[in-house]
């Protein structure tokens, strides 16, 4: 048997709150934020009122899922397909997405702990800034690298 | 045109934190807490460490059912039983017929703004925590 350290709910909730705090410092269109574990399964999720139901809620999950399972920030994910004449669609996974707002959570030893996904702002780089605030909170807490 | 009241992130954070406090003090098992809007779509999810995938989905089903049926699950289940009907007759696979741990959230005017679903512990504790959360949601 083996054991493995995984992200817990209290860390996930800490990250969600940090993202929402940053969204107040840097206000804009309402967002959804999701934190998933290394399997891409939900630990915590939170929406602001009026968030775009059709897009933001789904994309917050997709960004978190893509980061956690592919071990890469969504901002850099599209680059993987450059130069190999393939697209994300060729991967055949409907949950994959790219662009700013999805960040991978890694432990000090490099193990994947999960992912944070933020969606709702008109520009992916705004989502990215909010997601990074969540990751920074986990760094400050000594959880993430 | 019509006006609709919406639950915001601050309302959900206040409710989830209030429920977590209670769970940490009294609950016999970890719980999953879900807040949905009037459509049954999730606004907040808190899957505590040790909750099973079944418990997580069940909490969501309870919140969804309370919001969609505009009823606390205790009342909904009782009505079904009194009329000799099954929840499956509504032809909605997401509806659950659990009797505890699901509470509809309404404004003072009676408009449905969402549902609270709690699962993981005993039916009584699920219900108690769901009511604490539903009350906290409306404080804002």
């Amino acid at each position: 048997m083996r054991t493995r350290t995984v992200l817990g709910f209290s860390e996930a909730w800490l990250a969600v709150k940090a993202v929402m705090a940053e969204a107040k410092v840097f206000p804009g269109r309402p967002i959804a934020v999701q934190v998933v574990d290394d399997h891409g399964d939900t630990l915590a999720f939170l929406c602001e009122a009026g968030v775009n139901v059709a897009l933001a809620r789904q994309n917050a999950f997709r960004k978190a899922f893509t980061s956690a399972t592919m071990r890469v920030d969504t901002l850099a994910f599209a680059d993987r397909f450059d130069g190999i004449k393939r697209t994300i669609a060729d991967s055949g996974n409907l949950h994959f997405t790219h662009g700013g707002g999805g960040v991978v959570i890694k432990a000090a030893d490099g193990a994947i702990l999960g992912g944070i996904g933020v969606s709702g702002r008109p520009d992916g780089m705004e989502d990215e800034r909010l997601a990074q605030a969540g990751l920074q909170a986990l760094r400050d807490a000594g959880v993430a690298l | 045109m019509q006006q609709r009241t919406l639950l915001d992130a601050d309302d959900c954070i206040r409710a989830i934190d209030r429920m977590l406090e209670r769970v940490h003090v009294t609950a016999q098992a970890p719980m999953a807490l879900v807040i949905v809007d009037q459509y049954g779509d999730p606004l907040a999810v808190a899957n505590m460490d040790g909750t099973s995938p079944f418990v997580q989905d069940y909490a969501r089903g309870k919140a969804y059912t309370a919001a969609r049926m505009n009823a606390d699950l205790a009342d909904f289940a009782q009505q079904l039983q009194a009329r000799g009907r099954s929840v499956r007759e509504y032809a909605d696979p997401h509806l659950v017929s659990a009797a505890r741990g699901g509470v509809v959230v309404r404004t003072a005017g009676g408009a449905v703004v969402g549902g609270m679903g709690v699962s993981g512990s005993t039916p009584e504790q699920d219900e108690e925590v769901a009511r604490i959360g539903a009350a906290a949601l409306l404080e804002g």
Side-chain angles (χ1 to χ4, degrees), chain A residues 7-11 13 17 20 24 41-50 53 57, chain B residues 6-10 12-13 16-17 20 37 41-49 56:
Chain A
L7 201 65
F9 168 74
S10 55
E11 291 87 39
W13 193 232
K17 283 180 167 178
M20 282 301 172
K24 284 207 166 125
D41 288 325
T42 306
L43 287 166
F45 173 75
L46 187 63
C47 282
E48 287 185 298
V53 179
R57 272 199 278 236
Chain B
L6 303 172
L7 295 170
D8 209 345
D10 289 338
C12 293
I13 289 175
I16 297 272
D17 281 342
L20 288 172
D37 65 14
D41 290 323
L43 291 172
V45 175
N47 292 327
M48 294 177 70
D49 297 353
Q56 294 168 7

Side-chain angles (χ1 to χ4, degrees), chain B residues 70-82:
Chain B
N70 187 6
D72 294 347
L73 291 195
D75 298 332
F76 179 55
Q78 199 177 19
Q79 284 164 20
L80 283 174
Q81 202 176 16

Side-chain angles (χ1 to χ4, degrees), chain B residues 3 8 10 15 19 27 30 32-33 43 62 67 73 76 84-85 93 98-100 105 108 110-111 115 120 130-131:
Chain B
Q3 293 294 317
D8 209 345
D10 289 338
M19 291 191 283
L33 320 168
L43 291 172
K62 288 180 185 183
L73 291 195
F76 179 55
R85 312 310 296 190
R100 295 286 185 274
V105 182
R131 289 195 177 280

